[in-house]
Amino acid sequence: MSQEEPTIYELAGGAPIFQRLVDVFYAKVEADKSLRAMFPDDLEPGKRWQFLFLSQVFGGPATYSQERGHPRLRMRHGPFPIDEAASRAWLAYMLAAVDEVGIPEPARSAMRQYFERAAPHMINTYRPGMAGDEMG
């Protein structure tokens, strides 16, 4: 039987790299007044959940699901008004964090592709004249 391919989690560097990714990303959010306003006052629980979620989604431990169940990302983000601008800002900060942390290829490209696909799906607030607004 052949050896399994390493996961993106393993290729990226495991828990220490994913923790640093979350820390770098949240530092960028904290510095952005409009995006920061969308987050709860206490960022620590969100940081923990994001660390556990990202670790799991990229092939690390399944702690997120064990503690919280299915991710249901759109539902969990439902209380927060996420428009196209917020989605773009979130994506820009996450991609910058991936680069700043120094995640090596091929993990870097796989992670960037995941974030680029996921960010638009979190949009739940539409404003007239936004891109893709057929009625606007």
Side-chain angles (χ1 to χ4, degrees):
M1 189 164 185
S2 66
Q3 185 174 343
E4 282 188 38
E5 291 287 320
T7 64
I8 299 300
Y9 177 82
E10 293 165 332
L11 291 170
I17 293 299
F18 278 81
Q19 187 61 63
R20 184 153 148 59
L21 177 68
V22 169
D23 291 343
V24 168
F25 167 76
Y26 268 88
K28 294 177 184 313
V29 167
E30 286 185 270
D32 181 320
K33 189 181 268 188
S34 84
L35 199 58
R36 175 62 180 95
M38 297 175 63
F39 284 74
D41 289 341
D42 183 1
L43 294 175
E44 292 309 311
K47 286 181 178 182
R48 180 173 183 273
W49 291 127
Q50 186 181 57
F51 165 75
L52 293 175
F53 172 76
L54 293 177
S55 294
Q56 178 175 313
V57 82
F58 289 111
T63 309
Y64 182 96
S65 288
Q66 291 165 357
E67 291 187 17
R68 212 165 191 204
H70 189 281
R72 300 184 308 239
L73 290 180
R74 279 189 59 89
M75 182 203 77
R76 293 190 195 280
H77 289 83
F80 309 103
I82 302 169
D83 62 12
E84 187 177 0
S87 174
R88 279 195 311 265
W90 182 95
L91 178 60
Y93 295 146
M94 186 56 78
L95 296 180
V98 166
D99 289 345
E100 190 174 322
V101 169
I103 293 173
E105 292 294 354
R108 177 185 176 272
S109 289
M111 291 174 72
R112 289 177 64 91
Q113 288 170 7
Y114 172 83
F115 295 132
E116 288 166 354
R117 283 190 320 267
H121 294 287
M122 296 299 106
I123 296 172
N124 60 19
T125 301
Y126 302 90
R127 304 192 196 294
M130 286 177 50
D133 182 3
E134 313 293 331
M135 307 296 281

